Amino acid sequence: MSSVSPIQIPSRLPLLLTHEGVLLPGSTMRTSVDSARNLQLVRSRLLKGTSLQSTILGVIPNTPDPASDAQDLPPLHRIGTAALAVQVVGSNWPKPHYTLLITGLCRFQIVQVLKEKPYPVAEVEQLDRLEEFPNTCKTREELGELSEQFYKYAVQVCFPYQTRIHPCCSHPILSSTLCLTSSLYSLVEMLDMSVPAVAKLRRLLDSLPREALPDILTSIIRTSNKEKLQILDAVSLEERFKMTIPLLVRQIEGLKLLQKTRKHKQDDDKRVIAIRPIRRITHIPGALEDEDEDEDHDDIVMLEKKIRTSSMPEQAHKVCVKEIKRLKKMPQSMPEYALTRNYLELMVELPWNKSTTDRLDIRAARILLDNDHYAMEKLKKRVLEYLAVRQLKNNLKGPILCFVGPPGVGKTSVGRSVAKTLGREFHRIALGGVCDQSDIRGHRRTYVGSMPGRIINGLKTVGVNNPVFLLDEVDKLGKSLQGDPAAALLEVLDPEQNHNFTDHYLNVAFDLSQVLFIATANTTATIPPALLDRMEIIQVPGYTQEEKIEIAHRHLIPKQLEQHGLTPQQIQIPQVTTLDIITRYTREAGVRSLDRKFGAICRAVAVKVAEGQHKEAKLDHSDVAEGEGCKEHILEDAKPESINDATDLALPPEMPILIDFHALKDILGPPMYEMEVSERLSQPGVAIGLAWTPLGGEIMFVEASRMDGEGQLTLTGQLGDVMKESAHLAISWLRSNAKKYHLTNASGNFDLLDNTDIHLHFPAGAVTKDGPSAGVTIVTCLASLFSGRLVRSDVAMTGEITLRGLVLPVGGIKDKVLAAHRAGLKQVIIPQRNEKDLEEIPGNVRQDLSFVTASCLDEVLNAAFDGGFIVKTRPGLLNSKL
Ligand SMILES: Nc1ncnc2c1ncn2[C@@H]1O[C@H](COP(=O)(O)OP(=O)(O)OP(=O)(O)O)[C@@H](O)[C@H]1O
């Protein structure tokens, strides 16, 4: 037995009153100190005192300390624990308080309270003397023998209720000790020895004196404060043993129950896992089984059969066989079961070897393309060339065509026609806003909710491996943290690589070389260069008014009539009306908005027609009484009516309903666009420029004004850096040529910026603009401002400028010229080096417009102002009073 040095506590102890928790000898407790007396105790005994004795406190349980020291002490619990303060931790927030770590030494009882303030101090009598235990035994030899027996017994015994007390253990304390220790061993055996705390407990058990066990155990196992208090109050060792054993037994029983339920659950789980596959394999027809499981089993068999008969490549086949083997062993409840099954279903559905036969008849293709689309000569020519080469060389690793042009010019619909001419399946993949590379390449199957990418999904949808894939809006691909989808497209679009395209979801290569990819975009500016490099760009410009009229009457109107269940006998839209819609109700390069307007007209006419049929039926009914002649009379009197005139319900409308200017106003409302050119150029400092946007060409009014100031230039209208630089260039050129052209500021000075601020504005202010092509327009506008002369209202211009006054070429001439034509302008000034682009302009547009090709700014200004811009000798014209 281990020997313990006797502990002698002082006869006077400061008292720490606690209410929560009971400290037992041999155990350690953390307690919070925040009441007045306790705080005083900590401050004067623990924080100021330096001797070991000053750290010994009398801890009185179950006694709340009054909040203020003015209040009297409450009745104190009779028995307490002398404790050693091991650690003091203090804090001032939210209010001053300490946390003490205290270790119980022994019991004491209060003999007399000596003082109450600032903290209570009592005269105490020590109750436990650890060295006393051996004295309770008759002789030391007897104790040694019994103790040895007790230890062996304790180690052997597993469960407390099976404990057989050794016959020689008749000593009451010893038998209780024996019983307690054996219970304790049972407890330790049940616990997991690999847990460090449990291993420590085991060591403690071996080293601690037996009589210390009841106190220590009570504080370790799950006991209430009340039970702990009872143990504290049990001064006799035998009594303490007796009280602790039931607590220990209770704990052991609880643990056993817990172990039992855990074991049951584990067994159940194992059984479920073991039974499932056996059930599936030993399926006996007719046996009573869950119907769902039967179905699943059938499905798996079907799937296996499909894999066996599928024509997938060897590598894919191997993967499928491996996966189906795994699937068979898997319980259905596993999340991976559904995942693997979906994967296998996709694998068997994919058109590994299924393709359509190409219909390669160039003449038929030409007719079909011409029938479907009016104009677009350049595009149709390139498409036919492409198809012709395919006809000659079947396995063409040709370039990927990319149609670039404004919205609604028929890029998508030409793609559809190509598929139709070739007799191939068509699938459109909208790439606008796609910013995750797994959209193209799929997710790895390890992800929750993983899916194949759009390419593989598209192939599954069309069911053949040689469809026409239209990659719509490649210029609107995004980029995000989830990777760059444009980079993923590189592999798809590279004819050298795409025969081995690996989707992350499939994880086996799929041959995309038979797929015909066509891309569309509104602009090439935002297409990544590497992607652009893999594609052949075909520009699709906007339509002229004449082309739009033709497209409307050949394609759009018949399509809309069909969609609304109308016939040409019921509605008549003359060409002048179409022109009216094009010029006054739409402003676009394509025909989508125009198509919508026809849709609106057809809806309005459909209502009229339906109403008319109803009225006719009604009239027929009433005519039975009045006779045929009467009806004829009514019809003769019927006058052409307004389309929205709902007041005259008595008469059916006259067929065909004519859509004239008035009907148009009734249906579409007042015109949305007016010819505002002449109006806008009624004062100096305004010029018309031509801009190119992804939506086609547009005319743009550049406005300038001057005011008193310090020579500052203000630019508004969301301009980019290049455009701002153009403005600075224009001002510098005008300042350096002010004398030559007699340009003066408000005070007649040739220094144009002397005491003058200039403001340049580019409507529409909300649209971002950039590019150098506004240079000539800015010069013309400022020249008008400083000369006080009006720019011609029917002239539009485009061109980049240099500091020397040269005019450099710009892009988008065709779209810009068409915009000028749409706006009803008469003359267009373009850079001389853009003259070659005029060939692309349709003949009728060229006839309507006159072109000035300028190589320097002198020529631009001469053309932009009536009578030229050459210096006049008459002073009245030179000095503007504006
Ligand atoms: N030349 C044409 N002949 C006949 N119909 C045309 C022509 N151009 C356009 N269309 C019709 O205009 C509508 C819009 O065309 P489509 O959707 O192909 O435009 P898009 O250029 O692809 O536009 P976006 O860039 O917005 O996708 C379609 O109904 C199409 O049939």
Side-chain angles (χ1 to χ4, degrees):
M1 175 163 180
S2 59
S3 70
V4 178
S5 58
I7 291 173
Q8 185 68 49
I9 60 166
S11 59
R12 299 169 122 223
L13 276 181
L15 300 181
L16 182 82
L17 310 184
T18 62
H19 191 54
E20 295 162 359
V22 179
L23 177 72
L24 290 168
S27 64
T28 302
M29 185 176 98
R30 216 171 268 279
T31 181
S32 187
V33 172
D34 49 10
S35 60
R37 282 192 177 84
N38 282 351
L39 280 172
Q40 275 300 333
L41 168 70
V42 173
R43 281 183 198 132
S44 44
R45 292 287 296 215
L46 301 181
L47 300 180
K48 287 199 186 131
T50 47
S51 66
L52 176 67
Q53 226 185 19
S54 70
T55 62
I56 298 181
L57 315 168
V59 180
I60 302 294
N62 202 25
T63 312
D65 187 23
S68 85
D69 54 1
Q71 289 167 272
D72 286 343
L73 265 189
L76 303 177
H77 192 81
R78 194 177 53 89
I79 293 176
T81 311
L84 199 68
V86 182
Q87 190 188 46
V88 185
V89 180
S91 163
N92 268 332
W93 196 86
K95 56 177 187 173
H97 78 280
Y98 297 100
T99 305
L100 297 186
L101 184 68
I102 44 179
T103 298
L105 299 172
C106 62
R107 283 174 181 74
F108 70 84
Q109 76 173 354
I110 298 171
V111 179
Q112 183 192 0
V113 177
L114 298 174
K115 62 168 189 172
E116 292 190 5
K117 285 179 186 175
Y119 52 87
V121 177
E123 188 185 334
V124 299
E125 184 195 344
Q126 184 170 348
L127 295 178
D128 301 332
R129 288 192 187 277
L130 299 179
E131 79 278 21
E132 269 179 10
F133 174 61
N135 299 340
T136 57
C137 293
K138 282 170 192 161
T139 61
R140 283 191 172 271
E141 291 79 41
E142 192 186 346
L143 175 74
E145 192 186 318
L146 288 176
S147 171
E148 193 57 35
Q149 275 182 359
F150 149 83
Y151 184 78
K152 279 183 193 162
Y153 187 75
V155 175
Q156 282 165 16
V157 167
C158 280
F159 301 107
Y161 44 84
Q162 288 170 352
T163 305
R164 282 183 293 118
I165 305 293
H166 197 277
C168 69
C169 297
S170 54
H171 191 282
I173 299 180
L174 210 57
S175 71
S176 301
T177 315
L178 196 61
C179 196
L180 178 86
T181 319
S182 60
S183 302
L184 186 58
Y185 272 92
S186 303
L187 175 69
V188 172
E189 269 175 35
M190 280 184 182
L191 300 173
D192 185 354
M193 284 298 287
S194 62
V195 179
V198 177
K200 204 167 162 187
L201 182 65
R202 174 73 199 244
R203 278 202 301 279
L204 264 179
L205 199 63
D206 285 344
S207 60
L208 276 176
R210 312 282 181 248
E211 58 276 16
L213 289 178
D215 286 335
I216 294 177
L217 274 177
T218 311
S219 39
I220 291 174
I221 62 173
R222 198 175 285 235
T223 46
S224 67
N225 270 354
K226 200 174 154 198
E227 285 163 342
K228 279 184 192 152
L229 211 58
Q230 279 170 357
I231 301 288
L232 181 72
D233 289 347
V235 177
S236 136
L237 190 58
E238 187 187 346
E239 196 187 339
R240 231 180 288 158
F241 273 126
K242 280 185 182 160
M243 287 173 106
T244 317
I245 289 166
L247 301 180
L248 203 55
V249 170
R250 188 182 68 195
Q251 178 81 25
I252 290 169
E253 286 300 320
L255 272 175
K256 273 202 243 166
L257 205 67
L258 196 73
Q259 277 190 350
K260 229 187 236 170
T261 45
R262 270 193 202 147
K263 194 158 174 280
H264 264 304
K265 197 167 174 298
Q266 278 171 3
D267 286 354
D268 281 355
D269 285 353
K270 273 186 204 155
R271 238 197 351 262
V272 169
I273 293 170
I275 286 171
R276 281 252 163 90
I278 294 167
R279 255 180 155 192
R280 201 173 288 153
I281 293 159
T282 58
H283 169 75
I284 305 156
L288 270 178
E289 271 191 9
D290 198 0
E291 255 179 46
D292 285 355
E293 291 227 347
D294 273 358
E295 272 173 26
D296 267 357
H297 175 66
D298 290 347
D299 286 353
I300 301 290
V301 172
M302 288 284 284
L303 203 58
E304 198 176 3
K305 207 168 146 192
K306 276 187 200 164
I307 291 171
R308 247 185 283 124
T309 53
S310 129
S311 55
M312 61 178 83
E314 202 188 321
Q315 193 201 0
H317 193 262
K318 260 188 202 164
V319 173
C320 285
V321 169
K322 202 171 121 201
E323 290 294 322
I324 195 116
K325 270 187 194 160
R326 279 185 61 221
L327 189 72
K328 279 187 193 164
K329 288 180 197 153
M330 236 182 257
Q332 274 172 43
S333 53
M334 265 178 89
E336 220 191 320
Y337 180 85
L339 213 85
T340 313
R341 196 173 147 170
N342 288 347
Y343 172 74
L344 287 172
E345 273 168 7
L346 174 71
M347 289 290 271
V348 291
E349 265 180 64
L350 278 181
W352 298 94
N353 257 329
K354 212 168 137 202
S355 52
T356 49
T357 333
D358 278 359
R359 215 175 28 223
L360 286 165
D361 180 352
I362 289 301
R363 279 205 303 155
R366 189 193 299 271
I367 293 168
L368 215 127
L369 275 179
D370 279 341
N371 281 350
D372 281 359
H373 296 92
Y374 179 78
M376 313 179 101
E377 297 309 331
K378 203 170 139 193
L379 177 67
K380 284 195 274 191
K381 189 169 153 249
R382 180 64 189 95
V383 168
L384 283 174
E385 279 168 14
Y386 184 83
L387 297 179
V389 178
R390 268 198 105 86
Q391 186 178 343
L392 298 179
K393 188 173 185 303
N394 204 1
N395 195 9
L396 174 70
K397 278 188 184 169
I400 310 298
L401 299 181
C402 178
F403 304 151
V404 179
V409 289
K411 301 180 296 293
T412 312
S413 80
V414 168
R416 195 170 273 122
S417 291
V418 170
K420 208 158 95 184
T421 37
L422 283 172
R424 287 192 179 200
E425 293 293 331
F426 177 80
H427 185 73
R428 176 173 163 267
I429 299 178
L431 294 176
V434 169
C435 58
D436 185 350
Q437 65 128 351
S438 46
D439 258 307
I440 307 294
R441 222 196 263 273
H443 303 91
R444 295 204 182 278
R445 266 195 297 145
T446 43
Y447 285 101
V448 178
S450 56
M451 280 189 308
R454 292 188 186 208
I455 305 284
I456 293 296
N457 243 336
L459 286 166
K460 185 186 141 193
T461 312
V462 294
V464 286
N465 65 3
N466 64 341
V468 173
F469 268 176
L470 188 93
L471 305 173
D472 221 358
E473 324 278 7
V474 270
D475 56 329
K476 293 178 191 67
L477 279 172
K479 223 187 227 183
S480 71
L481 286 178
Q482 280 74 39
D484 182 0
L489 263 190
L490 292 181
E491 188 191 343
V492 175
L493 296 186
D494 193 339
E496 300 299 325
Q497 292 177 26
N498 68 8
H499 59 273
N500 246 341
F501 171 72
T502 308
D503 184 282
H504 285 157
Y505 183 83
L506 285 196
N507 214 15
V508 283
F510 193 96
D511 183 2
L512 294 182
S513 59
Q514 298 304 310
V515 181
L516 173 57
F517 288 103
I518 295 176
T520 77
N522 290 137
T523 170
T524 51
T526 48
I527 303 178
L531 198 58
L532 202 60
D533 192 46
R534 280 170 172 71
M535 301 187 291
E536 182 184 328
I537 304 296
I538 302 173
Q539 293 287 350
V540 191
Y543 296 117
T544 61
Q545 281 173 5
E546 288 67 26
E547 283 171 343
K548 283 186 188 179
I549 293 174
E550 283 302 320
I551 293 170
H553 285 270
R554 288 178 192 218
H555 300 281
L556 306 183
I557 297 175
K559 196 176 78 188
Q560 287 293 348
L561 291 188
E562 196 199 320
Q563 278 176 9
H564 290 86
L566 296 171
T567 60
Q569 286 73 44
Q570 289 166 324
I571 177 171
Q572 191 190 339
I573 306 176
Q575 293 214 345
V576 276
T577 307
T578 310
L579 185 65
D580 238 13
I581 302 173
I582 292 167
T583 53
R584 289 147 63 92
Y585 288 90
T586 64
R587 188 154 284 181
E588 56 174 354
V591 291
R592 194 170 277 137
S593 182
L594 182 65
D595 195 27
R596 270 200 298 274
K597 300 289 177 219
F598 286 126
I601 294 169
C602 288
R603 280 195 298 278
V605 171
V607 173
K608 270 281 154 193
V609 171
E611 266 175 8
Q613 282 171 357
H614 177 69
K615 274 182 261 165
E616 260 176 19
K618 254 181 149 182
L619 281 175
D620 284 350
H621 204 66
S622 54
D623 283 350
V624 177
E626 294 179 25
E628 278 292 306
C630 179
K631 188 183 164 192
E632 265 168 29
H633 172 72
I634 291 169
L635 283 175
E636 265 170 31
D637 283 0
K639 289 185 189 107
E641 58 178 335
S642 157
I643 190 81
N644 259 9
D645 189 3
T647 48
D648 189 5
L649 283 173
L651 303 173
E654 203 175 321
M655 296 294 168
I657 296 174
L658 177 73
I659 308 296
D660 57 7
F661 175 71
H662 301 288
L664 212 54
K665 213 167 160 195
D666 281 342
I667 300 167
L668 301 179
M672 291 156 83
Y673 305 98
E674 290 295 346
M675 293 292 169
E676 50 186 343
V677 178
S678 53
E679 199 183 305
R680 294 284 287 263
L681 300 198
S682 57
Q683 55 170 298
V686 189
I688 305 169
L690 292 172
W692 183 88
T693 71
L695 309 183
E698 277 190 25
I699 63 162
M700 177 175 65
F701 294 92
V702 181
E703 301 170 347
S705 71
R706 62 181 172 184
M707 62 283 301
D708 287 349
E710 289 160 7
Q712 295 219 333
L713 171 67
T714 311
L715 297 167
T716 50
Q718 299 243 28
L719 311 186
D721 287 343
V722 180
M723 211 150 174
K724 283 180 189 163
E725 283 171 8
S726 292
H728 284 287
L729 269 176
I731 289 188
S732 299
W733 184 82
L734 285 170
R735 286 176 77 189
S736 60
N737 289 283
K739 276 193 185 142
K740 179 179 167 191
Y741 294 107
H742 272 274
L743 301 176
T744 57
N745 65 5
S747 48
N749 197 335
F750 284 127
D751 186 354
L752 301 179
L753 293 182
D754 184 33
N755 291 328
T756 309
D757 277 355
I758 300 171
H759 188 153
L760 262 175
H761 179 63
F762 295 75
V767 183
T768 320
K769 307 162 196 82
D770 203 5
S773 67
V776 292
T777 323
I778 301 172
V779 169
T780 312
C781 168
L782 289 174
S784 156
L785 181 75
F786 288 114
S787 65
R789 294 177 60 191
L790 293 179
V791 180
R792 276 177 58 182
S793 294
D794 55 355
V795 176
M797 61 204 79
T798 183
E800 184 180 346
I801 55 166
T802 71
L803 213 46
R804 287 180 292 152
L806 300 181
V807 177
L808 302 184
V810 291
I813 290 290
K814 182 176 177 190
D815 282 320
K816 288 175 177 176
V817 170
L818 292 183
H821 187 245
R822 273 202 299 274
L825 300 172
K826 292 282 168 275
Q827 195 174 66
V828 178
I829 306 171
I830 58 166
Q832 198 177 44
R833 278 157 66 185
N834 277 117
E835 200 172 352
K836 60 180 186 324
D837 296 317
L838 293 180
E839 281 171 24
E840 282 184 27
I841 313 285
N844 62 319
V845 175
R846 262 189 284 172
Q847 273 172 13
D848 290 350
L849 292 173
S850 68
F851 294 93
V852 174
T853 54
S855 59
C856 63
L857 282 172
D858 283 349
E859 290 166 20
V860 174
L861 292 177
N862 275 335
F865 291 88
D866 267 331
F869 200 65
I870 305 164
V871 187
K872 303 279 174 189
T873 43
R874 281 179 294 150
L877 264 181
L878 291 172
N879 289 334
S880 165
K881 300 288 176 224
L882 278 168

